[in-house]
Amino acid sequence: MSQEVVCVDFWANGFGMRVRIALREKGVQFEIKEEDLQVKERSKLVLEMNPVYRSIPILIHHGKPVIGSINIVEYIDEAWKEGPALLPADPLDRAKARFWSDYIDKMLFSVQTKFLKSKGDEKEESKAELIANLKQLEQVLDDKKYFGGDQFNFLDIMLITFSSMFSGYEQHGNFLIGVECPKLMAWVKRCRERESVASTLPDDREMYELHKIWYGIE
């Protein structure tokens, strides 16, 4: 591999987008190795670098792999001290950021999957749960500019990649996130004005169209 830092990822992988945003926030030059998640077979590189889970994203630094999006972003923050800090300096604030990151992955992502795949009453129930999850996160944001206060940081990175599916949520469920969670949508707008985010997040329509294929949505 020609570069010191390589990100193995798929363009529509929200978890991998976190890694690319974090690297760009830190000003780290990196190479992207595209792994097509639309095919079942994983590449030789993925099998070699992540033989346990065979999943992406994978950060390869000096030829050594780092696995798991949350773990990778923490690694980036520790490995490149010269850039802006991503995790809060205060231990309690760091613990809170990790807690809500876990909430996003365990609650929001699982509800998103259920919402997109379900039908009838189950879909309405999952839509209500999805909105409740977003409102919970909006309460955490409160009136702050970013989840990290005045500074865009770790928890912002964890959640902003999900915003590439917000338009899809609205189309799929016939509701407006801006009505349900106005502060959260204002935060999305601020985040998307950042170069690191704007250059990473894909087109919302393309994201939803791909998810429609993945989840068999007509």
Side-chain angles (χ1 to χ4, degrees):
M1 279 168 282
S2 61
Q3 302 245 351
E4 175 186 309
V5 182
V6 177
C7 178
V8 186
D9 197 17
F10 179 58
W11 68 269
N13 179 18
F15 297 101
M17 292 177 207
R18 293 168 168 175
V19 177
R20 286 175 270 147
I21 290 172
L23 288 168
R24 286 168 175 146
E25 282 288 323
K26 286 284 191 174
V28 178
Q29 297 296 314
F30 64 98
E31 177 184 358
I32 297 176
K33 292 281 188 179
E34 186 80 4
E35 179 77 11
D36 191 354
L37 292 183
Q38 298 179 91
V39 299
K40 292 183 179 180
E41 296 80 12
R42 296 280 71 88
S43 68
K44 180 180 178 181
L45 180 61
V46 169
L47 296 178
E48 176 185 348
M49 291 292 169
N50 188 6
V52 177
Y53 290 111
R54 304 183 175 190
S55 61
I56 57 173
I58 304 169
L59 181 74
I60 305 174
H61 188 203
H62 293 306
K64 303 294 184 181
V66 186
I67 311 299
S69 66
I70 294 177
N71 187 43
I72 294 172
V73 173
E74 292 198 41
Y75 175 85
I76 291 169
D77 198 29
E78 294 173 357
W80 286 278
K81 296 292 188 183
E82 62 274 15
L86 301 179
L87 277 161
D90 181 77
L92 181 58
D93 289 338
R94 285 202 302 273
K96 289 178 180 178
R98 290 179 176 123
F99 173 85
W100 288 111
S101 297
D102 187 64
Y103 175 90
I104 290 166
D105 284 4
K106 288 182 179 176
M107 299 293 290
L108 185 60
F109 180 67
S110 63
V111 172
Q112 169 186 291
T113 301
K114 184 167 62 174
F115 170 60
L116 295 174
K117 293 178 70 173
S118 61
K119 295 180 180 180
D121 291 342
E122 185 180 3
K123 182 172 294 298
E124 288 303 309
E125 291 174 3
S126 59
K127 181 175 90 171
E129 190 175 354
L130 179 68
I131 292 171
N133 288 167
L134 294 173
K135 287 186 174 183
Q136 176 69 74
L137 291 164
E138 184 177 59
Q139 288 181 14
V140 177
L141 176 65
D142 198 22
D143 291 320
K144 298 189 295 292
K145 182 178 180 180
Y146 298 112
F147 282 93
D150 289 332
Q151 181 181 349
F152 177 87
N153 67 10
F154 185 78
L155 188 52
D156 299 290
I157 294 171
M158 294 299 109
L159 182 58
I160 192 57
T161 60
F162 277 81
S163 75
S164 60
M165 273 298 293
F166 282 5
S167 177
Y169 295 168
E170 293 176 332
Q171 292 181 60
H172 196 67
N174 192 29
F175 70 100
L176 294 175
I177 298 176
V179 173
E180 301 288 347
C181 303
K183 292 180 182 179
L184 192 64
M185 287 307 293
W187 166 82
V188 169
K189 185 176 184 296
R190 285 192 294 273
C191 290
R192 288 186 172 219
E193 290 171 351
R194 301 184 69 84
E195 190 280 332
S196 64
V197 176
S199 61
T200 300
L201 265 56
D203 181 83
D204 292 354
R205 293 166 298 179
E206 292 181 6
M207 276 291 284
Y208 184 47
E209 289 303 315
L210 179 61
H211 279 72
K212 284 167 70 175
I213 296 171
W214 278 349
Y215 293 113
I217 301 168
E218 297 179 357

